[in-house]
Amino acid sequence: SDYEGSDDLFPYGDTVTTQSGFESRKTAMRANPESSTYANWNQFNDRFANMTQSGRNAVKLNTLLGDLQKNGVEPILNLTRSENYSYSGWGGKWEQWQFAYVMAYHAAKNYDVQRFQWYNEPDQNNSTITVPDYADRLRTTADAFRSAVEDVNRIYGKSLVADVSA
């Protein structure tokens, strides 16, 4: 919730209600990833630059990733999406995919991040997510990470390779 405090584009699910709607919106976003039609880039970019992350790691994302890149450190971008965000239906899956895509796209485009982790120790946070649900969330998210890195490579001529762990 640090980077997407609430739904970035109203309504939640962005009117995605079917698998074909999910695939259609995904294809459209990938064709023009920096369009504010599919993600509120102004909101995300402001938070990447100015918001101090909550929790133990009180950092600003752009500052941290920029410093790591300058010092030759290849980070693993570890992301978690709160269970407060609905994952039900195709709209919930879309919101999860879009969030992971935006985070990975920004990090890959600007800082050459290519290593990603989804949920650190999911069994340690009193989660109510079942193993099958977790696996489905991971598949959706891993696809978003890989798609974002592929699109950054295509658009910016990079040769990053997405490495996803969980």
Side-chain angles (χ1 to χ4, degrees), residues 5-35:
S6 61
D7 185 27
D8 72 306
L9 293 174
F10 182 79
Y12 190 81
D14 301 337
T15 69
V16 173
T17 58
T18 63
Q19 182 177 6
S20 64
F22 175 94
E23 294 297 334
S24 175
R25 191 153 182 103
K26 180 176 129 177
T27 299
M29 183 168 188
R30 291 192 67 192
N32 191 5
E34 296 178 39
S35 168

Side-chain angles (χ1 to χ4, degrees), residues 55-72:
R56 285 180 253 180
N57 301 315
V59 299
K60 289 180 173 54
L61 183 67
N62 285 353
T63 303
L64 173 68
L65 292 177
D67 288 347
L68 290 171
Q69 186 180 44
K70 280 190 282 192
N71 287 293

